[in-house]
Every structure is written in structure tokens, then in C-alpha cells.
Amino acid sequence: MVFELKKRAPVETETYVSRMTFTTDVPVGEVIHNHLLSCSPDDLLADAARRMQQHHVSSILIVENGQSLGIWTEADARKLDFSDPALLKHPIRDYMSSPVDTVKEDVSLSEIALKFQQLRRRHFLVVDQDETPLGVVSQTDIIRFQGLEHYLCMRNVRSALRNPPLILEDSLSLSEAVKRLKESGRDSAAVQFGSSERYSIITERDIVRWLAEGIHDRYLRDVCVNQLYAVDEETGLLQASNLLKRKGFRHLGVINRQGQLVGILSYGDILDSVEYEYVNRLQEALHSRDEALKASTSHLRLAQRVIEASLDGIIITDSRGIIQSVNPKFTQVTGYSEQEAIGQSTGLLSSGRHSADFYNHMWDALHHSGYWQGEIWNRRKNGEVYPEWLTITAIYDDDGEVSQFAAIFSDISDRKKDEERIRRLAFFDDLTGVANRRLFQDRLEQAIANAHRHQHRLAVLFLDLDMFKRINDSLGHLVGDEVLKIVAGRLAHTVREGDSVARLGGDEFTVMVPEVSSMEGLMILAERINDSICDPIVVGSHELYISTSIGISIYPDDGQSPDELVKNADAAMYRVKADGRGSYHRYTDALHHDSVRELTIETRLRKAIKENVFEIYYQPKVDLAAGKMIGFEALLRWFDQENQQFISPAEFIPVAERLGLIGTLGDWVLNEVCRHLVQWQQDGLEILPVAVNISAQQLMKDNLAETVSRILKMTGASASWLELEVTESCFIPEQADRIALILHELRSEGINISIDDFGTGYSSLSYLRRLPLDALKIDRSFVMHVPDNEEDARLASTIIAMAKGLGLRVIAEGIEDERQLDFLRQHGCHQGQGFMFAKPAPEKQVRSWLAEKWCPVEYCALAASE
């Protein structure tokens, strides 16, 4: 199930409401489509369904001799018996609804909406004054064209749900599923796949599609193709309605804060939630009030109606403050009925929050000027204290004495919340609720001043979530936002009282520890944070695992200012990233030098790419049984002319990936290797296949297969001469299908595919079996300590056995001595490479090896004997 949670934006909604207009008086003839789908009563049910599907409509009119006999809609599809083998052969007259309910083209949309609710219909035939059919109006049309924004913006999705969701097992037959829909009176149902939290959705439209496609004896798991798109239950109805229009959906899943499915929202639910009588009465009352205020005293009765319909609470008291009358809004806001309020003092509403001086000042103003206005806190009948904006005006009799007071008030709780929200937007992160960069900066400045004054140390922890980008790229930003909210909550619960958590932006968080008593305690806190974030995170149907890299800086040792402390903690965090992620590191002076070094490499790397100063080195791959050379691995080398030394790939490859230059380097390597291979063939040398490493960024490009094919054609190299090595960490579970498709495209060109550094990534046996693999490469970390280390030996032998079971060649990296070679041979490892045979060498050396038909194992034996 794809749960996409939508964040509401109340400030924007408030701005939008001020521009709304009421459009409920639009005639239905102005919004219907002129095209009217019809058929003969003798047409087969399946043919009618097929036509409805082709024209994307929810109903079809049954016409004979120019007369409308009936109508068949998607709602009627629920009445069908899918267990009937002759179902598709029945004429549509057997299932149509008759007679057809009609409305005239000049009837307003608001009247149509009330008819839908009163008659429980979902379609009406629209006719002109001569009863000629013009089109069909549906509930969907009402929501789309009636202009109900003024009402929908005040309600959330939860308020429109009438029933819990109907959830069906995927093992149900279609006939049983349709029967369940009919019995429950639902127009949709969620389909659960097994015991998982993954859901699809079936609707009446799917039933019509099954009919159109002639499907009636299948199971839900065979035909459910539409995933359930879901929103949070606090999402506004206006936002949900707009989402339905924009996405072209007719249903939305609704989930609670725990990610559980609590309902399925339809256009019918939205329509049923609209209290049309209240909306229309309110419009009339507002209009009447404006007219009454302009009229003379002879319109007092009309003015009374305006008061009763007013959106503001109104109280009339005598000169002593005893309530004489109230309007319905008073009861709605305070909870006190008219009978409970009349005869009571206005002290009935006192909150107890104001002093006697406050009320004395109010009464003084009323007696002297006859007017008071201001903000006041009052209490509802249920005891809840709320803020209101109150205006009191004195009413004088003919003698100029105060005879009554008229008080008009409005509940400003929402305005107060908006003010608080605006304040939070200024100082708190809107997504996660923790402090934002501005508030963190203020707190850090105060903490530094305090630490300086009392001569103690404070710490800044800079956190960055590892591999977070792949969650956004794979599952979407809505899932990513939920992950950030969960992480922020875990941080807030993990840190100590007095520590401050903030989100600086993206997936970057900070924790400020205002007083550090010991480094040991700080390290324990960092470990506790890592442990809490590493726990599985469940968002909808997704179970996600993430870690974080933490950099630590300490005042005054590592910086004197907020910017310096944050910058140095950030530098320490990047060291953790470079060392493998998922840990923590304290800032040191060496990190500053590393940062300068990385910046230098970045500058020189761009220049090196522009000047094409790279070189390919080749390391032989050896058949361990025969002892002969059977291929090479191509390795990129960069000799920096400025410093007259090689720069390690471990330094410049991560920089190239961060700068987005790895694709350019990868294409250059492929082109250069193919060029060398063609030259070797032209010079009469034996061609041995060359393995080229493919980065994750290259693999995720849609045009990788196209790029490789273009390079092969341009250089004249054969696809069988290439082997592409894909690091196992590239196999991101969320992109499994896409990666498999790309590798199949490459394999279809005749290119061999192998997994590099096996045992260090995300792959599983079930996934490996889906990939077009030729070989599996054991990471050097598993070979380094065999046979002495029992655990490494067991892992290496297991990987070899597993790969052979999958029919894959096994290649071992990092073979450095005879004992490792003997172990690998005994366990049936096919191929290997390492310093024992040869170090990577330039292309000139490869020519010598090929010309001499060099045998690495014989060479090693000879060297050992000497």
C-alpha cells in the first residue's frame, strides 16, 4: 500500500478562504458534458460495460425508440452475481435501474446536491424543457463544480468518514468480493495482501472493467492493480477534494497517526458531509443581516433572524449585567442553552483568569463611554477556558440612561492557534516540531555565554542520516518526511533534560549539550542516539532501516563561536561518512587539514577531468585451477602532475560521486578500456575479457545500456570482451525491479555481469536469482584472514558454495599468500586476483603479459623457489 501523507498548510488555507465566493446557484446545464452514452436494452451487459470503460464514464442510458427506459451505473455493478457463468451473455435490460430519475437543466447545483442526499442517488439524467436528454450529472460533478471550498476548508477528512474501511483478503474470488460490496453497501474496499500491511483497492469501476474484459472467475490477487493512495485523517476536506481532482482518483485511503487504515474517502462521503441546509440558511441569513442593518426599525423582526443566524455570539443584558437573551451561536460557543443563560449574571462565563481590576476597568469604560472592546478569556459550560474577542455597547433609553448592554463576541481560539503557529514557524521546524536553525543559533549563543561565565564546556553534535536520499528517491518525499518526523521524535526522547534538539534542514539535525561533565558521558549519549535511530522505522507498508553519522565539537576546545562549533562538528560528521557511516567522531585539527585536502582534490579533480590526465591500470584475474591468466580488472589511476604523486581512488572517487562527476569518469573508463581492447586485437594479441566497475550513480541512469552500446559501436569493441562489476551495495531494495531491468538490458547485449564486494551490501538470495549474473566476487575482507580466522573461513566457504549453487563463477579478491590460495582452491573457488599474482599495472605491461602468454601461478612458484 502506498501511503502518501499530506501535510496541511493552515496559513495558506486562511489566505485562500478570504477570496472564496459562493457558487451553489450554478445551473446544472452549465456543467454537464454534452456527450451522452447510450445503448439498446438488448445489448449485452459486457458490451455496455466495455463502452463505459472506453469512454471513461460511470453510467450508460438505455434507450429504445427514442425513449429512456432506464440507466445502468457503476453502482448497479455491485448487484451482479459473478458466480453466474452466463453473466456476460445477459442483456442489459435485466440489470438496468428504471424509471430514470431526471432533473431539468435550469435546476441549481445546490438543489441537485440535496436531491442526491434525500433520494440516495448518485446519478440524475439532465433534460431540457422538452424532456430531451442532455447528459448525466453525478456526485463527482457536484464536488467539482459547486464551489464548496468555503465549507470544506473548515472540516477534516476524519469528519467525513461514516464507516470503518471494508477490508477484503486477496484470496477472495471476484464473485465473493462483489457480494461483500453489495452486502455492506460500499462502493469500494481495500484488498489486503496476505498478512502484510500492503493494500490495494477495488471499486465499482473495477467491476465494470472486469465485465468489459470478460473476467469473472478469478481471485482478487490476480486482478488488483491499483494501489491505495492514502492521506492523514487530519487532512482538510478541501485539500482531499483537490487531491482527488488533481490525481483523477475517486477514492482516498485515510490513515491515523499510527499508520493504520481507518477509512476510505469517496466523493459521496464528501457530499454527505456537507450540511446543505445549514450552508444555504447561512448564506440567506448573512444576506438578510446586511439588508436589515440598512433598513428602518420596521424591519426588527428580520434583524432578529439575522441575529439568530449570526456567526458571532450575541448577548443582551439589562443594565446590571443580567442576561435577557442570547442567540444560537452563543449556545454553540459556550455550551449553555438559552434557558440556562437567561436570568443569570454574565459572571456565569467568568474564566477566573482576570483580576478584579480588569473587570472594574471594563465597567468604568462602559459607564463613561458606553463602549468597550478587547480580548477576554471566558469559560464554556464544560469547563474549557477559551479566548474571545468581545465588543460591548450600551443601549440608552429615551431619558439617556443605560437600559441594556449588547455584547457581540467571537471565539478566537483558531486565531490564537494561528498566532502560535506563526511563532512556531519563526523558531521551530514546521515538519518535525523541533527547534529550527534560528532558534538553535540563539540557544547556542546563550549557552556559550553561560559556559564562558561559569567556565564549563558544552558540546554540539551534528547528525546526518545515512543514505536518506535513496528513501526520497525510491519512495517519495512524503515517506521521507515521515521518516524525518520519527527521527526527530526519537532524538527528543533520547537526549537528556536540558539538551536541545534542532533540525537545520534536509536530513541534518543538531543536538546541543549545554554542560559537558565528561567525554565518556558524551560518547554514551552519541551511542544511545545511534541505537535509537537504528531501530526499524515503519511508514505505511514500508519497514525502513537507517543509521546516522554524528560529528562532535566541544566549546571552547574546538571553537569559540556558534558558527565555528557547527562547522567543525559538520567536518567531524563527514569523517564518519568517509569511514563507513553509522558511528560518531570528535573534531580534531587533523580533520581541518582533511577538509582542506578534500577541497584541494575537488579543485584539481575538475581540472584533471578537463585535461584528461587519468590512466587505466589493469590487474590480472587468474584461473585458480589451471594457474593461467584469464582476464583483467580495469582500475582508474590519477597521477597529479602538480605534486608528482598518485592520488588514491579512495580519496578522489568519493569526491567525484559527491560532485556528480562519477558518470563522466565512468564513461571515460569504458571508452578507454574498449579502445585498448581493439588495439590489442589489431596488434595480434590474445583478447582476455576486462572487468569494469560501475558506480551506483551510473547504474541508476536510465540510459546506461544505451551508453555502453554507443561506446562499443564507436570503438569497435565486442560486447563479449567486457564484464561489468556492480558493487553489491548498489542493490537498493526499493529499486530492485528497475536495477534488474537495466542489468537484463546489458546482458542482452552480450555483456557479462558480476557482483563486486559480495557480502557487504543489501542483496538476498531471492533477489540474486532474478538477476542475469555470470560471476560473484568475494570481498577482500573475507579473504584476508583465511584460513586462520574460523569465522572468515566459514563465511568465505559459504559464499563459494552459495554462488556455485546459483551457477555463478566465483572470484576471490585480495589473494596475497600461498595459504589463502590453497584454501580457495580446496573449496572450489574458480578465479582470483591479488598481489600474490600481480599488482595493477599500466597498459604497456598488459601488452607484455599477453605477448608472453604469462602464467601468474608459475611465476609465483618460481619467485618463491628463488
Side-chain angles (χ1 to χ4, degrees):
M1 171 171 59
V2 178
F3 278 151
E4 295 201 24
L5 307 183
K6 298 296 177 183
K7 182 73 176 177
R8 292 181 295 167
V11 176
E12 293 178 5
T13 302
E14 185 176 21
T15 305
Y16 178 75
V17 170
S18 66
R19 301 194 299 268
M20 290 178 187
T21 57
F22 296 92
T23 58
T24 53
D25 58 346
V26 175
V28 68
E30 291 185 12
V31 303
I32 62 169
H33 298 290
N34 292 328
H35 179 71
L36 184 63
L37 191 65
S38 63
C39 68
S40 164
D42 297 319
D43 285 352
L44 295 181
L45 178 65
D47 292 335
R50 203 170 294 117
R51 293 190 61 199
M52 287 171 63
Q53 186 185 31
Q54 290 170 350
H55 290 82
H56 305 289
V57 296
S58 58
S59 62
I60 188 168
L61 195 66
I62 293 85
V63 177
E64 188 174 53
N65 298 326
Q67 297 295 318
S68 301
L69 299 184
I71 191 170
W72 192 77
T73 70
E74 290 175 346
D76 294 319
R78 288 180 298 164
K79 305 172 185 177
L80 302 176
D81 180 7
F82 265 61
S83 63
D84 180 5
L87 175 64
L88 302 178
K89 299 179 181 179
H90 286 290
I92 197 168
R93 71 162 68 244
D94 295 345
Y95 301 100
M96 67 183 184
S97 296
S98 181
V100 183
D101 292 313
T102 63
V103 293
K104 291 292 178 62
E105 62 178 328
D106 57 352
V107 175
S108 70
L109 289 183
S110 57
E111 291 180 71
I112 300 287
L114 284 174
K115 280 182 174 290
F116 275 133
Q117 290 183 323
Q118 293 165 354
L119 301 179
R120 309 310 297 173
R121 298 285 191 271
R122 288 165 58 184
H123 297 81
F124 287 122
L125 178 64
V126 181
V127 297
D128 62 14
Q129 300 306 317
D130 297 324
E131 299 296 321
T132 302
L134 299 177
V136 173
V137 62
S138 67
Q139 289 180 339
T140 305
D141 297 322
I142 297 297
I143 299 296
R144 286 180 175 171
F145 299 107
Q146 197 184 356
L148 293 170
E149 291 88 352
H150 61 285
Y151 187 87
L152 298 181
C153 72
M154 299 184 293
R155 307 284 297 279
N156 60 20
V157 167
R158 184 179 62 250
S159 68
L161 296 179
R162 294 172 295 172
N163 298 296
L166 174 62
I167 300 178
L168 305 178
E169 302 84 6
D170 64 339
S171 58
L172 284 181
S173 66
L174 298 191
S175 59
E176 183 62 27
V178 174
K179 182 180 177 183
R180 295 272 188 93
L181 284 174
K182 177 183 177 182
E183 291 173 348
S184 62
R186 308 291 182 86
D187 63 349
S188 64
V191 179
Q192 185 174 22
F193 287 84
S195 60
S196 70
E197 286 295 320
R198 178 169 160 262
Y199 293 94
S200 182
I201 183 171
I202 62 167
T203 67
E204 297 166 346
R205 181 152 291 186
D206 291 311
I207 301 175
V208 175
R209 176 172 58 81
W210 298 338
L211 289 171
E213 294 174 0
I215 301 171
H216 66 280
D217 58 350
R218 306 275 290 280
Y219 296 92
L220 288 181
R221 60 172 164 265
D222 300 325
V223 297
C224 286
V225 296
N226 297 318
Q227 291 181 311
L228 181 60
Y229 190 103
V231 297
D232 187 87
E233 63 182 352
E234 296 298 331
T235 301
L237 269 182
L238 176 59
Q239 187 177 352
S241 176
N242 289 338
L243 184 62
L244 287 168
K245 297 175 189 176
R246 188 171 69 253
K247 293 282 189 181
F249 297 160
R250 299 202 303 171
H251 297 80
L252 287 174
V254 180
I255 60 174
N256 59 20
R257 291 181 178 178
Q258 290 74 43
Q260 300 168 329
L261 185 67
V262 296
I264 299 176
L265 181 75
S266 69
Y267 274 118
D269 295 325
I270 295 177
L271 196 63
D272 285 344
S273 73
V274 179
E275 300 169 2
Y276 279 91
E277 292 182 0
Y278 170 80
V279 172
N280 292 332
R281 188 171 69 250
L282 176 60
Q283 291 175 232
E284 294 168 2
L286 290 173
H287 179 72
S288 298
R289 181 177 67 176
D290 292 339
E291 292 298 317
L293 291 175
K294 299 175 185 177
S296 65
T297 55
S298 62
H299 294 86
L300 287 176
R301 291 184 62 192
L302 182 59
Q304 180 62 34
R305 291 178 57 195
V306 172
I307 291 173
E308 290 177 357
S310 173
L311 292 178
D312 295 327
I314 297 176
I315 309 173
I316 306 297
T317 74
D318 63 14
S319 59
R320 298 172 301 146
I322 302 301
I323 300 173
Q324 294 179 327
S325 68
V326 296
N327 71 341
K329 188 65 177 181
F330 166 90
T331 298
Q332 182 182 339
V333 174
T334 67
Y336 289 102
S337 68
E338 183 179 10
Q339 292 78 11
E340 291 172 319
I342 292 177
Q344 298 290 328
S345 165
T346 52
L348 175 74
L349 305 174
S350 176
S351 66
R353 284 198 177 188
H354 301 291
S355 65
D357 288 342
F358 175 87
Y359 293 109
N360 290 336
H361 175 74
M362 176 194 293
W363 284 109
D364 285 344
L366 286 170
H367 287 304
H368 284 90
S369 63
Y371 179 84
W372 184 89
Q373 185 178 60
E375 185 178 304
I376 189 171
W377 290 86
N378 272 339
R379 187 183 301 275
R380 307 187 208 275
K381 182 180 178 181
N382 62 8
E384 179 188 354
V385 175
Y386 69 98
E388 67 179 32
W389 185 256
L390 175 64
T391 301
I392 306 176
T393 302
I395 301 173
Y396 299 92
D397 59 20
D398 294 339
D399 298 326
E401 298 293 329
V402 174
S403 61
Q404 291 175 306
F405 291 101
I408 302 177
F409 67 92
S410 57
D411 186 342
I412 58 172
S413 299
D414 288 341
R415 192 181 80 185
K416 284 286 190 182
K417 289 177 183 177
D418 288 342
E419 290 173 355
E420 173 63 18
R421 191 177 297 114
I422 291 170
R423 189 190 73 83
R424 288 189 62 81
L425 285 173
F427 295 104
F428 292 88
D429 179 54
D430 187 43
L431 176 66
T432 62
V434 299
N436 62 11
R437 184 185 294 271
R438 178 180 175 182
L439 181 57
F440 177 76
Q441 189 87 0
D442 290 346
R443 288 177 175 175
L444 185 53
E445 287 177 358
Q446 294 175 21
I448 288 174
N450 187 60
H452 176 74
R453 186 164 53 251
H454 296 287
Q455 295 297 299
H456 64 246
R457 298 193 297 173
L458 67 83
V460 172
L461 281 66
F462 194 104
L463 292 77
D464 186 274
L465 303 185
D466 300 326
M467 307 296 285
F468 178 74
K469 184 176 182 296
R470 70 187 177 95
I471 293 177
N472 274 344
D473 293 345
S474 305
L475 304 177
H477 288 275
L478 292 175
V479 173
D481 286 351
E482 287 304 306
V483 170
L484 292 175
K485 287 192 280 188
I486 293 170
V487 167
R490 291 183 180 180
L491 280 175
H493 284 88
T494 303
V495 300
R496 297 167 293 192
E497 186 177 356
D499 296 348
S500 178
V501 175
R503 178 180 176 229
L504 301 189
D507 61 335
E508 294 179 342
F509 293 85
T510 54
V511 175
M512 182 189 68
V513 181
E515 189 168 348
V516 176
S517 55
S518 70
M519 284 303 300
E520 181 182 359
L522 198 58
M523 299 303 110
I524 291 173
L525 173 62
E527 289 177 0
R528 197 162 65 239
I529 289 173
N530 258 332
D531 290 342
S532 71
I533 292 178
C534 285
D535 287 340
I537 293 177
V538 178
V539 180
S541 61
H542 305 288
E543 184 175 69
L544 306 171
Y545 292 84
I546 61 172
S547 61
T548 184
S549 298
I550 305 175
I552 303 171
S553 65
I554 298 196
Y555 171 87
D557 310 45
D558 306 327
Q560 304 287 322
S561 68
D563 289 344
E564 203 174 0
L565 288 169
V566 172
K567 177 174 69 71
N568 291 340
D570 187 17
M573 180 274 294
Y574 271 108
R575 168 48 61 92
V576 179
K577 294 278 189 185
D579 291 344
R581 305 184 180 92
S583 186
Y584 57 87
H585 197 287
R586 184 189 166 182
Y587 175 79
T588 62
D589 289 339
L591 286 179
H592 173 72
H593 298 303
D594 289 346
S595 179
V596 173
R597 166 76 173 166
E598 183 174 324
L599 181 60
T600 303
I601 289 176
E602 178 180 325
T603 303
R604 292 178 183 168
L605 178 62
R606 293 183 185 276
K607 183 179 178 183
I609 291 175
K610 186 176 180 180
E611 297 177 353
N612 195 20
V613 297
F614 295 95
E615 188 178 356
I616 303 293
Y617 272 46
Y618 295 89
Q619 185 173 33
K621 294 167 72 174
V622 179
D623 184 320
L624 299 186
K628 66 178 183 177
M629 187 170 60
I630 46 86
F632 301 96
E633 179 181 3
L635 300 166
L636 184 62
R637 293 293 182 262
W638 173 21
F639 185 77
D640 186 13
Q641 296 291 340
E642 188 172 335
N643 290 323
Q644 288 296 300
Q645 64 179 15
F646 280 101
I647 295 180
S648 167
E651 282 193 280
F652 73 81
I653 291 295
V655 175
E657 289 179 335
R658 181 169 56 81
L659 296 177
L661 300 174
I662 195 67
T664 303
L665 284 176
D667 291 353
W668 183 88
V669 171
L670 277 170
N671 190 80
E672 193 72 359
V673 166
C674 289
R675 190 175 64 81
H676 286 164
L677 284 163
V678 171
Q679 288 177 354
W680 298 342
Q681 184 195 45
Q682 291 172 350
D683 294 342
L685 299 173
E686 179 186 5
I687 297 299
L688 299 180
V690 177
V692 178
N693 289 286
I694 297 295
S695 71
Q697 289 184 24
Q698 285 177 284
L699 183 62
M700 294 313 295
K701 282 186 176 180
D702 292 332
N703 63 346
L704 177 60
E706 181 182 329
T707 299
V708 174
S709 178
R710 174 176 50 79
I711 291 174
L712 289 172
K713 289 178 182 177
M714 184 174 63
T715 59
S718 171
S720 62
W721 298 348
L722 277 184
E723 179 175 331
L724 298 184
E725 290 188 358
V726 183
T727 304
E728 190 194 8
S729 60
C730 294
F731 297 136
I732 302 169
E734 295 83 5
Q735 294 286 353
D737 293 337
R738 182 181 173 191
I739 291 171
L741 180 62
I742 293 170
L743 294 182
H744 275 289
E745 285 186 70
L746 292 166
R747 192 67 182 81
S748 66
E749 294 285 333
I751 298 169
N752 291 321
I753 307 292
S754 63
I755 297 182
D756 194 13
D757 299 337
F758 183 80
T760 64
Y762 309 100
S763 62
S764 63
L765 270 178
S766 60
Y767 182 48
L768 289 180
R769 295 180 64 182
R770 295 169 49 194
L771 301 178
L773 300 176
D774 299 283
L776 180 151
K777 211 168 189 181
I778 306 175
D779 184 65
R780 66 179 65 250
S781 62
F782 297 119
V783 176
M784 187 183 305
H785 301 296
V786 297
D788 297 328
N789 185 296
E790 291 185 7
E791 184 176 352
D792 283 352
R794 185 166 56 253
L795 284 170
S797 60
T798 301
I799 292 173
I800 293 170
M802 182 200 70
K804 292 171 72 176
L806 292 172
L808 303 178
R809 284 183 289 111
V810 189
I811 308 165
E813 289 185 296
I815 302 174
E816 297 185 359
D817 59 44
E818 195 82 33
R819 297 177 69 233
Q820 292 172 346
L821 177 61
D822 290 342
F823 175 86
L824 293 168
R825 278 174 165 170
Q826 289 170 11
H827 286 84
C829 183
H830 303 111
Q831 300 171 12
Q833 62 188 87
F835 288 179
M836 177 181 176
F837 308 123
K839 293 183 179 181
E843 190 260 349
K844 182 179 178 181
Q845 178 63 61
V846 176
R847 286 177 169 275
S848 299
W849 284 335
L850 292 174
E852 297 169 3
K853 298 189 182 298
W854 179 63
C855 184
V857 175
E858 289 179 4
Y859 170 79
C860 293
L862 180 61
S865 65
E866 291 177 353

